[in-house]
Amino acid sequence: MSMIRAFIALEIPPVLQDEISRASAGLKQKLGDSVRWVAPHNLHLTLKFLGDVPRPGLDALALALGAELGRLPLFELTLAEFGVFPNPKRPRVLWVGVQAPPALEQVRRVVEACAARLGLAPEEKKPFSPHLTIGRVRETASPAGLQAALQGFHPGRLGAFTVEGLRLFRSDLRPQGPIYTSLALLPLARENFPETNEVTPESA
Ligand code: 2AM
């Protein structure tokens, strides 16, 4: 059976993807090729990486999740500041921080529970640390050069938006970068939808 590499994520509104791109332009110039930068339209917040899953498994997951998430309220996320994994001495992943209410953790628990019911492996024991990966450091990068460039990078508050739902994404790895395709939209409770989906980038 053919397998689909998939993950569940929150989309970031294009205006905030652009804001992150604008805020990190100077850093990109400094670090250049020592980092594989995430294309602005690919910036997202991963809630669960599923790996290779057969299509019927994904359909079942979308169905189960759709029913559960439809009962949970909308919530707001704020994008702010910057950090690295695993530590500043050996940065491998560069990210923008996410300030989230407890509702995000609740959503993540529902995602884990639905995935587990369908036999998809639970996340490793490490605690959930919501972040938006903006770049991945190449093996060849000089740690000293990286540290110097990263120390002065403090983008502050980048903006906030209302989360209306999750998406199930397909990921196709290509030499020029991954291609993410939405397979399903999984809305949160519709009765709580605001009149308009407010997005407030800091530079607006
Ligand atoms: P992260 O880099 O922000 O942690 C799609 O590949 C998404 O799934 C990526 O944004 C990545 O999020 C996340 N992911 C988590 N674990 C992964 C893994 N083992 N392999 C690939 N992607 C993974």
Side-chain angles (χ1 to χ4, degrees), residues 61-204:
L61 179 60
L63 207 65
L65 257 181
E68 297 277 341
L69 293 174
R71 286 196 272 269
L72 298 181
L74 309 188
F75 58 93
E76 181 157 297
L77 284 189
T78 299
L79 307 182
E81 268 304 336
F82 169 76
V84 301
F85 289 145
N87 63 62
K89 281 204 178 130
R90 259 186 65 81
R92 305 302 319 161
V93 171
L94 315 184
W95 48 260
V96 157
V98 176
Q99 294 169 357
L104 177 64
E105 180 58 33
Q106 195 185 2
V107 163
R108 197 188 73 94
R109 268 191 254 122
V110 165
V111 169
E112 283 294 343
C114 283
R117 279 212 303 274
L118 291 162
L120 297 165
E123 208 50 64
E124 300 151 41
K125 284 280 177 276
K126 61 184 178 197
F128 178 50
S129 173
H131 65 277
L132 260 65
T133 299
I134 61 168
R136 295 178 177 88
V137 175
R138 292 186 200 273
E139 291 293 333
T140 49
S142 127
L146 272 166
Q147 274 179 41
L150 296 176
Q151 252 167 20
F153 185 54
H154 298 289
R157 188 181 188 277
L158 292 161
F161 67 103
T162 302
V163 177
E164 295 183 351
L166 272 52
R167 277 190 188 271
L168 174 60
F169 281 103
R170 172 192 183 118
S171 166
D172 291 293
L173 301 179
R174 296 275 186 273
Q176 60 274 27
I179 297 174
Y180 300 144
T181 311
S182 172
L183 298 178
L185 170 64
L186 308 164
L188 296 171
R190 204 158 271 282
E191 61 268 25
N192 293 320
F193 267 34
E195 294 278 305
T196 54
N197 180 19
E198 301 219 346
V199 180
T200 53
E202 287 307 290
S203 62

